[in-house]
Amino acid sequence: EALRTGVCDFVATDHAPHEPEAKSDNFKTSAYGTTGLETLLKALLTLWKQGELPTDRLVEVFSTAPAKFLGIDDRFGKLALNFPFNAVLVDEKQTAKINAKDDLKSLSKNNCFVGSDLVGGIKGVFLEKKVYLL
């Protein structure tokens, strides 16, 4: 609701990897946080597909607002002629069940989305003049 209505300006992840032992207990006793780098965009796309997050707001909270906050909106966060092309290619029809042992590449397997079906297979990343296909 906070993302949809604008109460929350944008989303980000705090990539602070921990050794598997520090994250192997339950959420109450493990090192703080959950892996999010692999699931953030998929969680947002799931909200979008469910009609909970409009397309323009999805782009804003995941791209334009963070770029502006970080002061890099001269290179990231918009599509425009003669502007560096930075984008993520996703398949919004693909759904993946998040399974700690099989689907997460992070060393930590303590993730709040384990057991969830999330939308969006990430197929590639465009970073200015480079293309990374997954």
Side-chain angles (χ1 to χ4, degrees), residues 19-31 109-111:
E19 304 79 21
E21 299 79 31
K23 298 294 281 185
S24 62
D25 270 342
N26 62 46
F27 282 107
K28 288 184 179 182
T29 59
S30 291
K109 304 301 180 188
N110 193 350
N111 185 289

Side-chain angles (χ1 to χ4, degrees), residues 1 8 13 28 33 37 48 52 70 102 131 134:
E1 181 67 17
C8 181
T13 64
K28 288 184 179 182
L37 192 61
W48 167 78
E52 298 292 327
L70 293 171
D102 299 332
V131 178
L134 307 175

Side-chain angles (χ1 to χ4, degrees), residues 1-129:
E1 181 67 17
L3 285 175
R4 188 179 60 74
T5 62
V7 169
C8 181
D9 295 327
F10 59 87
V11 294
T13 64
D14 175 18
H15 187 65
H18 296 279
E19 304 79 21
E21 299 79 31
K23 298 294 281 185
S24 62
D25 270 342
N26 62 46
F27 282 107
K28 288 184 179 182
T29 59
S30 291
Y32 183 76
T34 181
T35 57
L37 192 61
E38 295 178 67
T39 53
L40 173 62
L41 180 55
K42 291 178 180 185
L44 291 174
L45 286 168
T46 301
L47 292 174
W48 167 78
K49 188 105 178 198
Q50 294 169 345
E52 298 292 327
L53 194 61
T55 303
D56 60 339
R57 189 70 180 129
L58 168 65
V59 171
E60 182 179 15
V61 301
F62 188 71
S63 179
T64 56
K68 185 175 181 180
F69 176 80
L70 293 171
I72 57 173
D73 51 333
D74 61 331
R75 297 186 336 255
F76 296 95
K78 65 182 170 186
L79 293 174
L81 189 61
N82 297 321
F83 193 81
F85 184 64
N86 297 298
V88 178
L89 177 64
V90 297
D91 178 354
E92 84 279 355
K93 294 178 182 172
Q94 183 178 340
T95 302
K97 183 135 185 121
I98 302 301
N99 208 332
K101 292 182 180 174
D102 299 332
D103 297 326
L104 297 173
K105 299 196 187 316
S106 174
L107 290 178
S108 173
K109 304 301 180 188
N110 193 350
N111 185 289
C112 61
F113 294 108
V114 170
S116 299
D117 292 328
L118 296 179
V119 172
I122 298 173
K123 301 298 182 185
V125 176
F126 298 87
L127 187 56
E128 298 188 15
K129 297 178 181 179

